[in-house]
Coordinates of all heavy atoms in Angstrom, one line a residue:
M1 N -28.7 183.3 -53.7 CA -27.7 184.1 -54.4 C -27.4 183.6 -55.8 O -27.5 182.4 -56.1 CB -26.4 184.0 -53.6 CG -26.3 184.8 -52.3 SD -25.9 186.5 -52.7 CE -26.3 187.2 -51.2
Y2 N -27.1 184.5 -56.7 CA -26.8 184.2 -58.1 C -25.4 184.3 -58.4 O -25.0 184.1 -59.6 CB -27.7 185.1 -59.0 CG -29.2 184.9 -58.8 CD1 -29.9 185.9 -58.1 CD2 -29.8 183.7 -59.2 CE1 -31.3 185.7 -57.9 CE2 -31.2 183.5 -58.9 CZ -31.9 184.5 -58.3 OH -33.2 184.3 -58.1
Y3 N -24.5 184.6 -57.5 CA -23.1 184.8 -57.8 C -22.3 183.6 -57.3 O -22.5 183.1 -56.1 CB -22.6 186.0 -57.1 CG -23.3 187.3 -57.6 CD1 -24.3 187.9 -56.8 CD2 -22.9 187.8 -58.8 CE1 -24.9 189.0 -57.3 CE2 -23.5 189.0 -59.3 CZ -24.5 189.6 -58.5 OH -25.2 190.7 -59.0
A4 N -21.4 183.0 -58.1 CA -20.6 181.9 -57.7 C -19.6 182.3 -56.6 O -19.4 181.6 -55.6 CB -19.9 181.3 -58.9
V5 N -19.1 183.5 -56.8 CA -18.0 184.0 -55.8 C -18.3 185.4 -55.6 O -18.6 186.2 -56.5 CB -16.6 183.8 -56.4 CG1 -15.6 184.2 -55.5 CG2 -16.4 182.3 -56.8
V6 N -18.1 185.9 -54.4 CA -18.1 187.3 -54.0 C -16.8 187.6 -53.3 O -16.4 187.0 -52.3 CB -19.3 187.6 -53.1 CG1 -19.2 189.1 -52.7 CG2 -20.6 187.3 -53.8
G7 N -16.0 188.6 -53.9 CA -14.7 188.9 -53.3 C -14.9 190.0 -52.3 O -15.9 190.7 -52.2
V8 N -13.8 190.2 -51.4 CA -13.8 191.2 -50.4 C -12.4 191.9 -50.6 O -11.4 191.3 -50.6 CB -13.9 190.6 -49.0 CG1 -13.7 191.7 -47.9 CG2 -15.2 189.9 -48.8
L9 N -12.5 193.2 -50.7 CA -11.2 194.0 -51.0 C -10.2 193.8 -49.9 O -9.0 193.8 -50.2 CB -11.5 195.4 -51.2 CG -12.2 195.8 -52.6 CD1 -12.5 197.3 -52.7 CD2 -11.3 195.3 -53.7
E10 N -10.6 193.8 -48.7 CA -9.7 193.6 -47.6 C -9.0 192.2 -47.6 O -8.0 192.1 -47.0 CB -10.4 193.8 -46.2 CG -10.8 195.2 -45.9 CD -12.0 195.7 -46.6 OE1 -12.7 194.9 -47.2 OE2 -12.3 196.9 -46.5
G11 N -9.6 191.3 -48.3 CA -9.0 190.0 -48.5 C -8.8 189.7 -49.9 O -9.2 188.7 -50.5
M12 N -8.1 190.6 -50.6 CA -7.9 190.6 -52.0 C -7.2 189.3 -52.5 O -7.6 188.6 -53.4 CB -7.1 191.8 -52.6 CG -6.9 191.7 -54.1 SD -8.4 191.7 -55.0 CE -8.7 193.5 -55.2
K13 N -6.1 188.9 -51.8 CA -5.4 187.7 -52.2 C -6.2 186.5 -52.0 O -6.2 185.6 -52.9 CB -4.1 187.6 -51.3 CG -3.1 188.6 -51.7 CD -1.9 188.5 -50.8 CE -0.9 189.7 -51.1 NZ 0.3 189.7 -50.2
K14 N -7.0 186.4 -50.9 CA -7.9 185.2 -50.7 C -9.0 185.2 -51.8 O -9.3 184.2 -52.3 CB -8.5 185.3 -49.3 CG -9.3 184.1 -48.9 CD -10.1 184.3 -47.6 CE -9.2 184.2 -46.4 NZ -9.9 184.1 -45.2
S15 N -9.5 186.4 -52.1 CA -10.5 186.5 -53.1 C -10.0 186.0 -54.5 O -10.7 185.3 -55.2 CB -11.0 188.0 -53.2 OG -11.6 188.4 -52.1
L16 N -8.8 186.4 -54.8 CA -8.3 186.0 -56.1 C -8.0 184.5 -56.2 O -8.3 183.9 -57.2 CB -7.0 186.8 -56.4 CG -7.1 188.3 -56.7 CD1 -5.8 188.9 -56.8 CD2 -8.0 188.5 -57.9
V17 N -7.6 183.9 -55.1 CA -7.4 182.4 -55.1 C -8.7 181.8 -55.3 O -8.9 180.8 -56.1 CB -6.8 182.0 -53.7 CG1 -6.8 180.5 -53.6 CG2 -5.4 182.5 -53.6
V18 N -9.8 182.2 -54.6 CA -11.1 181.6 -54.8 C -11.6 181.9 -56.2 O -12.2 181.0 -56.8 CB -12.1 182.2 -53.8 CG1 -13.5 181.7 -54.0 CG2 -11.7 181.8 -52.4
F19 N -11.4 183.1 -56.8 CA -11.8 183.3 -58.2 C -11.2 182.3 -59.1 O -11.8 181.8 -60.0 CB -11.4 184.8 -58.6 CG -12.2 185.9 -57.9 CD1 -11.7 187.1 -57.9 CD2 -13.4 185.6 -57.3 CE1 -12.4 188.2 -57.3 CE2 -14.1 186.6 -56.7 CZ -13.6 187.9 -56.7
E20 N -9.9 182.1 -58.9 CA -9.1 181.2 -59.8 C -9.7 179.8 -59.7 O -9.7 179.1 -60.7 CB -7.6 181.2 -59.4 CG -6.9 182.4 -59.8 CD -5.5 182.4 -59.3 OE1 -5.1 181.5 -58.6 OE2 -4.7 183.3 -59.7
K21 N -10.1 179.3 -58.6 CA -10.6 178.0 -58.4 C -12.0 177.8 -58.9 O -12.4 176.8 -59.5 CB -10.6 177.6 -56.9 CG -9.2 177.5 -56.3 CD -8.4 176.4 -56.9 CE -7.1 176.3 -56.2 NZ -6.2 175.4 -56.8
F22 N -12.9 178.9 -58.7 CA -14.3 178.8 -59.1 C -14.5 179.2 -60.6 O -15.5 178.8 -61.2 CB -15.2 179.6 -58.2 CG -15.5 178.9 -56.9 CD1 -14.6 178.8 -55.9 CD2 -16.7 178.3 -56.8 CE1 -14.9 178.1 -54.7 CE2 -17.0 177.6 -55.6 CZ -16.1 177.5 -54.6
I23 N -13.7 180.1 -61.1 CA -13.9 180.7 -62.4 C -12.6 180.6 -63.2 O -12.1 181.6 -63.7 CB -14.4 182.1 -62.4 CG1 -15.5 182.3 -61.3 CG2 -15.0 182.5 -63.7 CD1 -15.9 183.7 -61.0
P24 N -12.0 179.4 -63.4 CA -10.7 179.4 -64.0 C -10.6 179.8 -65.5 O -9.6 180.3 -65.9 CB -10.3 177.9 -63.8 CG -11.6 177.2 -63.7 CD -12.5 178.1 -63.0
K25 N -11.8 179.7 -66.1 CA -11.8 180.0 -67.6 C -11.4 181.5 -67.8 O -10.8 181.9 -68.7 CB -13.2 179.7 -68.1 CG -13.3 180.1 -69.6 CD -14.7 179.7 -70.1 CE -14.8 180.0 -71.6 NZ -16.1 179.6 -72.2
F26 N -11.8 182.4 -66.8 CA -11.6 183.8 -67.0 C -10.5 184.3 -66.1 O -9.9 185.4 -66.4 CB -12.9 184.6 -66.7 CG -14.0 184.2 -67.6 CD1 -15.0 183.4 -67.1 CD2 -14.1 184.6 -68.9 CE1 -16.1 183.0 -68.0 CE2 -15.1 184.2 -69.8 CZ -16.1 183.4 -69.3
L27 N -10.3 183.7 -64.9 CA -9.4 184.3 -63.9 C -8.3 183.3 -63.5 O -7.8 183.4 -62.3 CB -10.2 184.7 -62.7 CG -11.2 185.8 -63.0 CD1 -12.2 186.0 -61.9 CD2 -10.6 187.1 -63.4
S28 N -7.8 182.5 -64.4 CA -6.8 181.5 -64.0 C -5.5 182.0 -63.5 O -4.8 181.4 -62.7 CB -6.6 180.5 -65.1 OG -6.0 181.2 -66.2
K29 N -5.1 183.2 -64.0 CA -3.8 183.8 -63.6 C -4.0 185.1 -62.8 O -3.0 185.9 -62.7 CB -3.0 184.0 -64.8 CG -2.8 182.9 -65.7 CD -1.5 182.2 -65.4 CE -1.2 181.2 -66.5 NZ -1.0 179.9 -66.0
S30 N -5.1 185.3 -62.2 CA -5.4 186.6 -61.6 C -4.5 186.9 -60.4 O -4.0 188.1 -60.3 CB -6.8 186.7 -61.2 OG -7.2 185.7 -60.3
S31 N -4.1 186.0 -59.6 CA -3.3 186.3 -58.4 C -1.8 186.5 -58.9 O -1.2 187.4 -58.3 CB -3.3 185.1 -57.4 OG -2.9 183.9 -58.0
T32 N -1.4 185.9 -59.9 CA -0.1 186.1 -60.5 C 0.0 187.5 -61.1 O 1.0 188.3 -60.8 CB 0.3 185.1 -61.6 OG1 0.1 183.8 -61.1 CG2 1.7 185.3 -62.1
V33 N -1.0 187.9 -61.8 CA -1.0 189.3 -62.4 C -1.1 190.3 -61.3 O -0.4 191.4 -61.3 CB -2.2 189.4 -63.3 CG1 -2.4 190.9 -63.8 CG2 -2.1 188.5 -64.5
Y34 N -1.9 190.1 -60.3 CA -2.1 191.0 -59.2 C -0.8 191.2 -58.4 O -0.3 192.3 -58.1 CB -3.2 190.6 -58.2 CG -3.3 191.4 -57.0 CD1 -4.0 192.6 -57.1 CD2 -2.9 191.0 -55.7 CE1 -4.1 193.5 -56.0 CE2 -3.0 191.8 -54.6 CZ -3.7 193.0 -54.7 OH -3.8 193.8 -53.6
K35 N -0.1 190.1 -58.1 CA 1.2 190.2 -57.4 C 2.2 190.9 -58.3 O 3.0 191.8 -57.7 CB 1.7 188.8 -57.1 CG 3.0 188.8 -56.3 CD 3.5 187.4 -56.0 CE 4.8 187.3 -55.3 NZ 5.6 188.4 -55.2
A36 N 2.3 190.7 -59.6 CA 3.2 191.4 -60.4 C 2.9 192.9 -60.5 O 3.8 193.7 -60.4 CB 3.1 190.8 -61.9
M37 N 1.6 193.2 -60.5 CA 1.3 194.7 -60.5 C 1.7 195.3 -59.2 O 2.2 196.4 -59.1 CB -0.2 194.8 -60.7 CG -0.7 194.6 -62.1 SD -2.5 194.6 -62.3 CE -2.9 196.2 -61.7
M38 N 1.5 194.6 -58.1 CA 1.8 195.2 -56.7 C 3.3 195.3 -56.6 O 3.8 196.3 -56.0 CB 1.3 194.3 -55.6 CG -0.3 194.4 -55.5 SD -0.9 196.0 -55.1 CE -1.6 196.5 -56.7
D39 N 4.1 194.3 -57.1 CA 5.5 194.4 -57.0 C 6.1 195.5 -57.9 O 7.1 196.2 -57.5 CB 6.2 193.1 -57.4 CG 5.9 192.0 -56.4 OD1 5.5 192.3 -55.3 OD2 6.1 190.8 -56.8
A40 N 5.5 195.7 -59.1 CA 6.0 196.7 -60.0 C 5.7 198.1 -59.6 O 6.5 199.0 -59.8 CB 5.4 196.5 -61.4
D41 N 4.6 198.3 -59.0 CA 4.1 199.7 -58.6 C 4.0 199.9 -57.1 O 3.0 200.4 -56.6 CB 2.8 200.0 -59.3 CG 2.9 200.1 -60.8 OD1 4.0 200.4 -61.3 OD2 1.9 199.9 -61.5
V42 N 5.0 199.5 -56.4 CA 4.9 199.6 -54.9 C 4.6 201.1 -54.5 O 3.8 201.3 -53.6 CB 6.2 199.2 -54.3 CG1 6.2 199.4 -52.8 CG2 6.5 197.7 -54.6
E43 N 5.2 202.0 -55.1 CA 4.9 203.4 -54.7 C 3.6 204.0 -55.3 O 3.1 205.0 -54.8 CB 6.1 204.3 -55.2 CG 7.4 204.0 -54.5 CD 8.5 204.8 -55.0 OE1 8.3 205.8 -55.7 OE2 9.7 204.5 -54.7
K44 N 3.0 203.3 -56.3 CA 1.8 203.8 -56.9 C 0.6 203.0 -56.4 O -0.5 203.1 -57.0 CB 1.9 203.7 -58.4 CG 3.0 204.6 -59.0 CD 3.1 204.4 -60.5 CE 4.2 205.3 -61.0 NZ 4.3 205.1 -62.5
V45 N 0.7 202.2 -55.4 CA -0.5 201.5 -54.9 C -1.5 202.4 -54.4 O -1.3 203.5 -53.8 CB -0.1 200.6 -53.7 CG1 -1.3 199.9 -53.1 CG2 1.0 199.5 -54.2
N46 N -2.8 202.1 -54.7 CA -3.9 203.0 -54.4 C -4.1 203.1 -52.9 O -4.5 202.2 -52.2 CB -5.2 202.4 -55.0 CG -6.3 203.3 -54.9 OD1 -6.2 204.5 -54.6 ND2 -7.5 202.8 -55.2
M47 N -3.7 204.3 -52.4 CA -3.8 204.6 -51.0 C -4.5 205.9 -50.8 O -4.4 206.8 -51.6 CB -2.4 204.7 -50.4 CG -1.6 203.4 -50.4 SD 0.0 203.8 -49.6 CE 0.3 202.3 -48.8
N48 N -5.2 206.0 -49.7 CA -5.9 207.2 -49.3 C -5.1 207.9 -48.3 O -5.1 207.6 -47.1 CB -7.3 206.9 -48.7 CG -8.1 208.1 -48.4 OD1 -7.6 209.2 -48.5 ND2 -9.3 207.9 -48.0
I49 N -4.3 208.9 -48.7 CA -3.4 209.6 -47.8 C -4.2 210.5 -46.9 O -3.6 211.0 -45.9 CB -2.3 210.4 -48.6 CG1 -3.0 211.4 -49.5 CG2 -1.4 209.5 -49.4 CD1 -2.0 212.4 -50.2
F50 N -5.5 210.8 -47.2 CA -6.3 211.7 -46.3 C -7.1 210.9 -45.3 O -7.8 211.5 -44.5 CB -7.2 212.5 -47.2 CG -6.4 213.3 -48.2 CD1 -6.5 213.0 -49.5 CD2 -5.7 214.4 -47.8 CE1 -5.8 213.8 -50.5 CE2 -5.0 215.2 -48.7 CZ -5.0 214.8 -50.1
K51 N -7.0 209.6 -45.3 CA -7.7 208.8 -44.3 C -7.3 209.1 -42.9 O -6.1 209.0 -42.6 CB -7.5 207.3 -44.6 CG -8.3 206.4 -43.7 CD -8.0 204.9 -44.1 CE -8.7 204.0 -43.2 NZ -8.5 202.6 -43.5
P52 N -8.2 209.4 -42.0 CA -7.8 209.7 -40.6 C -7.3 208.4 -40.0 O -7.7 207.3 -40.3 CB -9.1 210.1 -40.0 CG -10.2 209.7 -40.8 CD -9.6 209.5 -42.2
S53 N -6.3 208.5 -39.1 CA -5.7 207.4 -38.5 C -6.6 206.8 -37.4 O -6.5 205.6 -37.1 CB -4.3 207.8 -37.8 OG -4.6 208.8 -36.9
H54 N -7.5 207.6 -36.9 CA -8.4 207.0 -35.9 C -9.8 207.6 -36.1 O -10.0 208.8 -36.3 CB -7.9 207.4 -34.5 CG -8.8 207.0 -33.4 ND1 -9.0 205.7 -33.0 CD2 -9.6 207.7 -32.6 CE1 -9.9 205.6 -32.1 NE2 -10.3 206.8 -31.7
L55 N -10.8 206.8 -36.0 CA -12.2 207.2 -36.1 C -12.8 207.4 -34.7 O -12.7 206.5 -33.9 CB -13.0 206.2 -36.9 CG -14.4 206.5 -37.3 CD1 -14.4 207.7 -38.3 CD2 -15.1 205.3 -38.0
P56 N -13.3 208.6 -34.4 CA -13.9 208.8 -33.1 C -14.9 207.8 -32.8 O -15.7 207.4 -33.6 CB -14.5 210.2 -33.2 CG -13.7 210.9 -34.3 CD -13.4 209.8 -35.3
E57 N -15.0 207.3 -31.5 CA -15.9 206.3 -31.1 C -17.3 206.7 -31.3 O -18.2 205.8 -31.8 CB -15.6 205.9 -29.7 CG -16.4 204.7 -29.2 CD -16.0 204.3 -27.8 OE1 -15.0 204.7 -27.3 OE2 -16.9 203.5 -27.2
L58 N -17.7 207.9 -31.1 CA -19.1 208.4 -31.3 C -19.5 208.2 -32.7 O -20.6 207.7 -33.0 CB -19.2 209.8 -30.8 CG -20.6 210.5 -31.0 CD1 -21.6 209.8 -30.0 CD2 -20.5 211.9 -30.6
L59 N -18.6 208.6 -33.6 CA -18.9 208.5 -35.1 C -19.0 207.0 -35.5 O -19.9 206.7 -36.3 CB -17.8 209.3 -35.9 CG -18.0 209.2 -37.4 CD1 -19.3 209.8 -37.8 CD2 -16.9 210.0 -38.0
A60 N -18.1 206.2 -35.0 CA -18.1 204.8 -35.4 C -19.4 204.1 -34.9 O -20.0 203.4 -35.7 CB -16.9 204.1 -34.7
N61 N -19.8 204.4 -33.7 CA -21.1 203.9 -33.2 C -22.3 204.3 -34.0 O -23.2 203.5 -34.3 CB -21.3 204.3 -31.7 CG -20.3 203.6 -30.8 OD1 -19.8 202.5 -31.2 ND2 -20.0 204.1 -29.7
K62 N -22.3 205.6 -34.4 CA -23.4 206.1 -35.2 C -23.4 205.4 -36.6 O -24.5 205.0 -37.1 CB -23.2 207.6 -35.4 CG -24.4 208.3 -36.0 CD -24.4 209.8 -36.0 CE -25.6 210.3 -36.6 NZ -25.7 211.8 -36.4
L63 N -22.2 205.2 -37.2 CA -22.1 204.6 -38.5 C -22.6 203.1 -38.4 O -23.3 202.6 -39.2 CB -20.7 204.6 -39.0 CG -20.3 205.9 -39.6 CD1 -18.8 205.9 -39.9 CD2 -21.0 206.3 -40.8
M64 N -22.2 202.4 -37.3 CA -22.6 201.0 -37.1 C -24.1 200.9 -37.0 O -24.8 200.0 -37.5 CB -21.9 200.5 -35.9 CG -20.4 200.3 -36.1 SD -20.0 199.1 -37.4 CE -20.3 197.6 -36.6
R65 N -24.8 201.9 -36.3 CA -26.2 201.9 -36.1 C -26.9 202.1 -37.4 O -28.0 201.5 -37.7 CB -26.7 202.9 -35.1 CG -26.5 202.5 -33.7 CD -27.2 203.4 -32.7 NE -27.0 204.8 -32.9 CZ -26.0 205.5 -32.4 NH1 -25.1 204.9 -31.6 NH2 -25.8 206.8 -32.7
N66 N -26.4 203.0 -38.2 CA -27.1 203.4 -39.5 C -26.8 202.5 -40.7 O -27.5 202.5 -41.6 CB -26.6 204.8 -39.9 CG -27.2 205.9 -39.0 OD1 -28.3 205.7 -38.4 ND2 -26.5 207.0 -38.9
F67 N -25.8 201.7 -40.5 CA -25.4 200.8 -41.6 C -25.4 199.3 -41.2 O -24.6 198.5 -41.6 CB -24.0 201.1 -42.2 CG -24.0 202.4 -42.9 CD1 -23.5 203.5 -42.3 CD2 -24.4 202.4 -44.3 CE1 -23.5 204.7 -43.1 CE2 -24.3 203.6 -45.0 CZ -23.9 204.8 -44.4
T68 N -26.4 198.9 -40.3 CA -26.5 197.6 -39.8 C -26.7 196.6 -40.9 O -26.1 195.5 -40.9 CB -27.5 197.4 -38.8 OG1 -28.8 197.9 -39.3 CG2 -27.2 198.2 -37.5
L69 N -27.6 196.8 -41.9 CA -27.8 195.9 -43.0 C -26.6 195.7 -43.8 O -26.2 194.6 -44.2 CB -29.0 196.4 -43.8 CG -30.4 196.3 -43.2 CD1 -31.4 196.9 -44.1 CD2 -30.7 194.9 -42.8
E70 N -25.9 196.8 -44.1 CA -24.7 196.8 -44.9 C -23.6 196.0 -44.2 O -22.9 195.2 -44.8 CB -24.2 198.2 -45.3 CG -25.0 198.9 -46.3 CD -26.3 199.6 -45.7 OE1 -26.5 199.4 -44.5 OE2 -27.0 200.3 -46.4
M71 N -23.5 196.2 -42.9 CA -22.4 195.5 -42.1 C -22.8 194.0 -42.1 O -21.9 193.1 -42.2 CB -22.3 196.0 -40.7 CG -21.8 197.5 -40.7 SD -20.1 197.7 -41.4 CE -19.2 196.7 -40.3
D72 N -24.1 193.6 -41.9 CA -24.5 192.2 -41.9 C -24.1 191.6 -43.3 O -23.7 190.5 -43.3 CB -26.0 192.1 -41.6 CG -26.3 192.4 -40.2 OD1 -25.4 192.4 -39.4 OD2 -27.5 192.6 -39.9
F73 N -24.4 192.3 -44.4 CA -24.1 191.8 -45.7 C -22.6 191.6 -45.9 O -22.2 190.6 -46.4 CB -24.7 192.7 -46.8 CG -24.4 192.2 -48.2 CD1 -25.0 191.0 -48.6 CD2 -23.6 192.9 -49.0 CE1 -24.8 190.6 -49.9 CE2 -23.4 192.5 -50.3 CZ -23.9 191.3 -50.8
Y74 N -21.8 192.6 -45.4 CA -20.4 192.5 -45.6 C -19.9 191.3 -44.8 O -19.0 190.5 -45.3 CB -19.7 193.7 -45.0 CG -18.2 193.6 -45.0 CD1 -17.5 193.8 -46.2 CD2 -17.5 193.4 -43.8 CE1 -16.1 193.6 -46.1 CE2 -16.2 193.2 -43.8 CZ -15.4 193.4 -44.9 OH -14.1 193.2 -44.9
R75 N -20.4 191.1 -43.6 CA -19.9 189.9 -42.8 C -20.3 188.6 -43.5 O -19.6 187.6 -43.4 CB -20.5 190.0 -41.4 CG -19.9 191.0 -40.5 CD -20.3 191.0 -39.1 NE -20.1 192.2 -38.4 CZ -21.0 193.2 -38.2 NH1 -22.2 193.0 -38.5 NH2 -20.7 194.3 -37.6
F76 N -21.5 188.6 -44.1 CA -22.0 187.4 -44.8 C -21.0 187.1 -46.0 O -20.6 186.0 -46.2 CB -23.4 187.6 -45.3 CG -23.8 186.6 -46.4 CD1 -24.2 185.3 -46.0 CD2 -23.8 186.9 -47.7 CE1 -24.6 184.4 -47.0 CE2 -24.2 186.0 -48.7 CZ -24.6 184.7 -48.3
C77 N -20.7 188.1 -46.7 CA -19.7 188.0 -47.9 C -18.4 187.5 -47.4 O -17.8 186.6 -48.0 CB -19.6 189.3 -48.6 SG -21.1 189.8 -49.5
E78 N -17.9 188.1 -46.3 CA -16.6 187.7 -45.8 C -16.6 186.2 -45.3 O -15.7 185.5 -45.6 CB -16.3 188.6 -44.6 CG -14.9 188.8 -44.2 CD -14.7 189.8 -43.2 OE1 -15.6 190.0 -42.3 OE2 -13.6 190.5 -43.2
A79 N -17.7 185.8 -44.6 CA -17.8 184.4 -44.2 C -17.9 183.5 -45.3 O -17.3 182.4 -45.3 CB -19.0 184.3 -43.2
R80 N -18.7 183.8 -46.3 CA -18.8 183.0 -47.5 C -17.5 182.8 -48.3 O -17.2 181.7 -48.7 CB -19.9 183.5 -48.4 CG -20.2 182.6 -49.6 CD -21.4 183.0 -50.4 NE -21.6 182.1 -51.5 CZ -22.1 182.5 -52.7 NH1 -22.4 183.7 -52.9 NH2 -22.2 181.6 -53.6
L81 N -16.8 183.9 -48.4 CA -15.5 183.8 -49.1 C -14.6 182.9 -48.3 O -13.9 182.1 -48.9 CB -14.9 185.2 -49.2 CG -13.5 185.3 -49.7 CD1 -13.4 184.9 -51.2 CD2 -12.9 186.7 -49.6
H82 N -14.5 183.1 -47.0 CA -13.7 182.2 -46.2 C -14.1 180.7 -46.3 O -13.2 179.9 -46.4 CB -13.7 182.6 -44.7 CG -12.8 181.8 -43.8 ND1 -11.4 181.9 -43.9 CD2 -13.1 180.9 -42.9 CE1 -10.9 181.0 -43.0 NE2 -11.9 180.4 -42.4
K83 N -15.4 180.5 -46.3 CA -15.9 179.1 -46.4 C -15.4 178.5 -47.8 O -15.0 177.4 -47.8 CB -17.4 179.1 -46.3 CG -18.0 177.7 -46.3 CD -19.5 177.8 -46.1 CE -20.1 176.4 -46.1 NZ -21.6 176.5 -45.9
Q84 N -15.5 179.3 -48.8 CA -15.1 178.8 -50.1 C -13.6 178.6 -50.2 O -13.1 177.7 -50.8 CB -15.6 179.8 -51.2 CG -17.0 179.8 -51.5 CD -17.5 180.8 -52.5 OE1 -17.0 181.9 -52.6 NE2 -18.5 180.4 -53.2
Y85 N -12.9 179.5 -49.5 CA -11.4 179.4 -49.5 C -10.9 178.2 -48.8 O -10.0 177.5 -49.3 CB -10.8 180.7 -48.8 CG -9.3 180.7 -48.7 CD1 -8.6 181.1 -49.9 CD2 -8.6 180.5 -47.6 CE1 -7.2 181.2 -49.8 CE2 -7.3 180.5 -47.5 CZ -6.6 180.9 -48.6 OH -5.2 181.0 -48.6
I86 N -11.5 177.8 -47.7 CA -11.0 176.6 -47.0 C -11.6 175.3 -47.6 O -11.2 174.2 -47.2 CB -11.4 176.7 -45.5 CG1 -12.9 176.7 -45.3 CG2 -10.7 177.8 -44.9 CD1 -13.3 176.6 -43.8
S87 N -12.5 175.4 -48.6 CA -13.1 174.2 -49.2 C -12.2 173.5 -50.1 O -12.4 172.3 -50.5 CB -14.4 174.6 -49.9 OG -14.1 175.3 -51.1
F88 N -11.0 174.0 -50.5 CA -10.1 173.3 -51.3 C -8.7 173.3 -50.7 O -8.3 173.9 -49.9 CB -10.0 173.9 -52.8 CG -10.2 175.3 -53.0 CD1 -9.3 176.3 -52.7 CD2 -11.5 175.7 -53.5 CE1 -9.5 177.6 -52.9 CE2 -11.7 177.1 -53.7 CZ -10.8 178.0 -53.4

């Protein structure tokens, strides 16, 4: 891999902490800025109001079969982020 850090949106706070530790020259205050933005715009947070509350099991299984490489890569990124997070 050629990337020092890979973030995961579902773990934004953890990603920002790792970014700050690994790339402090550019992202030293990123978690502070993110928290301030979230506190200021609570009602304007990016949300998908059209997202269904439940994904049918048949559709979920089909997606998992068709996106196995993508899911493996996502799990790899998530595990790497966690490993970097607990390293300090």
Side-chain angles (χ1 to χ4, degrees):
M1 286 273 168
Y2 299 108
Y3 299 100
V5 181
V6 176
V8 176
L9 286 178
E10 287 82 5
M12 180 61 89
K13 291 178 184 177
K14 185 186 284 190
S15 297
L16 291 174
V17 169
V18 173
F19 291 162
E20 288 176 351
K21 297 293 183 183
F22 278 79
I23 317 168
K25 182 177 180 180
F26 301 103
L27 299 167
S28 63
K29 306 265 190 236
S30 60
S31 61
T32 307
V33 172
Y34 177 75
K35 184 178 178 344
M37 287 174 56
M38 291 297 108
D39 291 345
D41 293 335
V42 173
E43 295 178 12
K44 295 180 182 177
V45 174
N46 188 13
M47 295 178 145
N48 182 356
I49 60 172
F50 301 107
K51 179 179 178 181
S53 60
H54 178 70
L55 189 63
E57 189 174 338
L58 179 66
L59 180 57
N61 290 337
K62 188 171 185 172
L63 285 170
M64 292 297 282
R65 280 193 311 273
N66 290 333
F67 289 99
T68 54
L69 291 176
E70 288 83 356
M71 293 302 295
D72 287 345
F73 180 66
Y74 174 77
R75 287 188 201 103
F76 167 77
C77 291
E78 203 173 32
R80 183 169 180 216
L81 176 66
H82 181 70
K83 186 177 179 182
Q84 290 177 324
Y85 181 76
I86 62 173
S87 71
F88 31 77

